[in-house]
């Protein structure tokens, strides 16, 4: 399925029905994205509490990474992590270095 471009979405990103926010893949807005240092992470889940896009993946009470389709790269998780376990990396660099989208 083709990702929606900015011309395809309603003006102002309207939420027309309950739950349709998941259709807006805000990850395409990003210029930076968060990267987890698993060795430093203590699974306190402060990042999960603060993330405005519910983009922190939690499984069995542990922080497991990020939902990059929805993370818009605001950096709040990296700022709030008390253990400096998240760093923000330039999106363009990661596309090259990690071969990721
Ligand atoms: S705030 Fe930091 S230490 Fe806590 S779960 Fe998130 S990444 Fe891990
Ligand atoms: S950068 Fe922002 S949107 Fe992305 S996971 Fe961190 S707090 Fe959530």
């Amino acid at each position: 399925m083709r990702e929606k471009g900015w011309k395809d979405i309603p003006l102002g990103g309207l939420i027309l029905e309950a739950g349709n926010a998941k259709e807006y893949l805000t990850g395409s807005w990003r210029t930076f994205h968060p990267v987890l240092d698993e060795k430093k992470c203590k699974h306190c889940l402060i990042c999960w509490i603060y993330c405005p896009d519910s983009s922190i993946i939690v499984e069995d009470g542990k922080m497991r990474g990020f939902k990059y389709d929805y993370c818009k790269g605001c950096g709040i998780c990296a700022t709030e992590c008390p253990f400096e376990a998240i760093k923000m990396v330039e999106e363009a660099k990661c596309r090259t270095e990690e071969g990721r989208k």
Side-chain angles (χ1 to χ4, degrees), residues 34 47 75-81 84 86-88:
C47 54
I76 291 173
C77 55
T79 300
E80 296 300 331
C81 174
E84 299 184 349
I86 299 173
K87 70 173 178 178
M88 298 303 291

PDB file of all heavy atoms in Angstrom, residues 34 47 75-81 84 86-88:
ATOM      1  N   PRO A  34      14.869   8.360  17.317  1.00  0.00           N
ATOM      2  CA  PRO A  34      15.499   7.862  18.538  1.00  0.00           C
ATOM      3  C   PRO A  34      16.111   6.474  18.327  1.00  0.00           C
ATOM      4  O   PRO A  34      15.567   5.642  17.610  1.00  0.00           O
ATOM      5  CB  PRO A  34      14.317   7.784  19.512  1.00  0.00           C
ATOM      6  CG  PRO A  34      13.111   7.588  18.659  1.00  0.00           C
ATOM      7  CD  PRO A  34      13.391   8.235  17.343  1.00  0.00           C
ATOM      8  N   CYS A  47      10.106   6.951  29.304  1.00  0.00           N
ATOM      9  CA  CYS A  47       9.938   7.326  27.888  1.00  0.00           C
ATOM     10  C   CYS A  47       8.521   7.003  27.423  1.00  0.00           C
ATOM     11  O   CYS A  47       7.913   7.767  26.671  1.00  0.00           O
ATOM     12  CB  CYS A  47      10.978   6.639  27.022  1.00  0.00           C
ATOM     13  SG  CYS A  47      11.018   4.851  27.201  1.00  0.00           S
ATOM     14  N   GLY A  75      11.990  13.907  20.153  1.00  0.00           N
ATOM     15  CA  GLY A  75      13.137  13.853  21.065  1.00  0.00           C
ATOM     16  C   GLY A  75      12.781  13.919  22.541  1.00  0.00           C
ATOM     17  O   GLY A  75      13.672  13.942  23.400  1.00  0.00           O
ATOM     18  N   ILE A  76      11.495  13.939  22.860  1.00  0.00           N
ATOM     19  CA  ILE A  76      11.091  14.021  24.267  1.00  0.00           C
ATOM     20  C   ILE A  76      11.595  12.804  25.037  1.00  0.00           C
ATOM     21  O   ILE A  76      12.097  12.929  26.157  1.00  0.00           O
ATOM     22  CB  ILE A  76       9.551  14.161  24.381  1.00  0.00           C
ATOM     23  CG1 ILE A  76       9.118  15.520  23.859  1.00  0.00           C
ATOM     24  CG2 ILE A  76       9.089  13.954  25.833  1.00  0.00           C
ATOM     25  CD1 ILE A  76       7.613  15.709  23.762  1.00  0.00           C
ATOM     26  N   CYS A  77      11.501  11.629  24.434  1.00  0.00           N
ATOM     27  CA  CYS A  77      11.954  10.408  25.122  1.00  0.00           C
ATOM     28  C   CYS A  77      13.434  10.512  25.479  1.00  0.00           C
ATOM     29  O   CYS A  77      13.845  10.142  26.578  1.00  0.00           O
ATOM     30  CB  CYS A  77      11.680   9.178  24.263  1.00  0.00           C
ATOM     31  SG  CYS A  77      12.395   9.277  22.607  1.00  0.00           S
ATOM     32  N   ALA A  78      14.227  11.020  24.556  1.00  0.00           N
ATOM     33  CA  ALA A  78      15.669  11.139  24.794  1.00  0.00           C
ATOM     34  C   ALA A  78      15.946  12.163  25.891  1.00  0.00           C
ATOM     35  O   ALA A  78      16.830  11.970  26.734  1.00  0.00           O
ATOM     36  CB  ALA A  78      16.376  11.533  23.504  1.00  0.00           C
ATOM     37  N   THR A  79      15.177  13.237  25.915  1.00  0.00           N
ATOM     38  CA  THR A  79      15.360  14.278  26.933  1.00  0.00           C
ATOM     39  C   THR A  79      14.963  13.768  28.316  1.00  0.00           C
ATOM     40  O   THR A  79      15.626  14.056  29.307  1.00  0.00           O
ATOM     41  CB  THR A  79      14.499  15.516  26.587  1.00  0.00           C
ATOM     42  OG1 THR A  79      14.918  16.004  25.325  1.00  0.00           O
ATOM     43  CG2 THR A  79      14.640  16.612  27.632  1.00  0.00           C
ATOM     44  N   GLU A  80      13.892  13.000  28.370  1.00  0.00           N
ATOM     45  CA  GLU A  80      13.359  12.568  29.667  1.00  0.00           C
ATOM     46  C   GLU A  80      14.012  11.305  30.220  1.00  0.00           C
ATOM     47  O   GLU A  80      13.913  11.042  31.421  1.00  0.00           O
ATOM     48  CB  GLU A  80      11.846  12.349  29.561  1.00  0.00           C
ATOM     49  CG  GLU A  80      11.045  13.597  29.239  1.00  0.00           C
ATOM     50  CD  GLU A  80      11.211  14.685  30.291  1.00  0.00           C
ATOM     51  OE1 GLU A  80      11.462  14.365  31.472  1.00  0.00           O
ATOM     52  OE2 GLU A  80      11.101  15.862  29.927  1.00  0.00           O
ATOM     53  N   CYS A  81      14.652  10.510  29.388  1.00  0.00           N
ATOM     54  CA  CYS A  81      15.270   9.270  29.887  1.00  0.00           C
ATOM     55  C   CYS A  81      16.326   9.612  30.938  1.00  0.00           C
ATOM     56  O   CYS A  81      17.304  10.294  30.660  1.00  0.00           O
ATOM     57  CB  CYS A  81      15.922   8.496  28.741  1.00  0.00           C
ATOM     58  SG  CYS A  81      16.835   7.048  29.346  1.00  0.00           S
ATOM     59  N   GLU A  84      20.059   8.279  30.024  1.00  0.00           N
ATOM     60  CA  GLU A  84      20.672   8.624  28.735  1.00  0.00           C
ATOM     61  C   GLU A  84      20.779   7.401  27.818  1.00  0.00           C
ATOM     62  O   GLU A  84      21.799   7.173  27.165  1.00  0.00           O
ATOM     63  CB  GLU A  84      22.040   9.285  28.939  1.00  0.00           C
ATOM     64  CG  GLU A  84      21.925  10.573  29.718  1.00  0.00           C
ATOM     65  CD  GLU A  84      23.245  11.314  29.876  1.00  0.00           C
ATOM     66  OE1 GLU A  84      24.294  10.738  29.555  1.00  0.00           O
ATOM     67  OE2 GLU A  84      23.180  12.473  30.308  1.00  0.00           O
ATOM     68  N   ILE A  86      18.707   6.822  25.333  1.00  0.00           N
ATOM     69  CA  ILE A  86      18.162   7.107  23.998  1.00  0.00           C
ATOM     70  C   ILE A  86      18.943   8.261  23.404  1.00  0.00           C
ATOM     71  O   ILE A  86      19.126   9.294  24.051  1.00  0.00           O
ATOM     72  CB  ILE A  86      16.665   7.490  24.076  1.00  0.00           C
ATOM     73  CG1 ILE A  86      15.849   6.330  24.662  1.00  0.00           C
ATOM     74  CG2 ILE A  86      16.129   7.849  22.686  1.00  0.00           C
ATOM     75  CD1 ILE A  86      14.388   6.658  24.928  1.00  0.00           C
ATOM     76  N   LYS A  87      19.414   8.069  22.193  1.00  0.00           N
ATOM     77  CA  LYS A  87      20.023   9.209  21.504  1.00  0.00           C
ATOM     78  C   LYS A  87      19.264   9.468  20.220  1.00  0.00           C
ATOM     79  O   LYS A  87      18.697   8.547  19.609  1.00  0.00           O
ATOM     80  CB  LYS A  87      21.510   8.982  21.255  1.00  0.00           C
ATOM     81  CG  LYS A  87      21.826   7.937  20.234  1.00  0.00           C
ATOM     82  CD  LYS A  87      23.317   7.895  19.926  1.00  0.00           C
ATOM     83  CE  LYS A  87      23.581   6.785  18.909  1.00  0.00           C
ATOM     84  NZ  LYS A  87      24.949   6.669  18.487  1.00  0.00           N
ATOM     85  N   MET A  88      19.233  10.740  19.840  1.00  0.00           N
ATOM     86  CA  MET A  88      18.548  11.125  18.608  1.00  0.00           C
ATOM     87  C   MET A  88      19.586  11.169  17.491  1.00  0.00           C
ATOM     88  O   MET A  88      20.650  11.767  17.636  1.00  0.00           O
ATOM     89  CB  MET A  88      17.877  12.498  18.770  1.00  0.00           C
ATOM     90  CG  MET A  88      16.799  12.540  19.848  1.00  0.00           C
ATOM     91  SD  MET A  88      15.479  11.338  19.617  1.00  0.00           S
ATOM     92  CE  MET A  88      14.642  11.980  18.164  1.00  0.00           C
TER      93      MET A  88
END
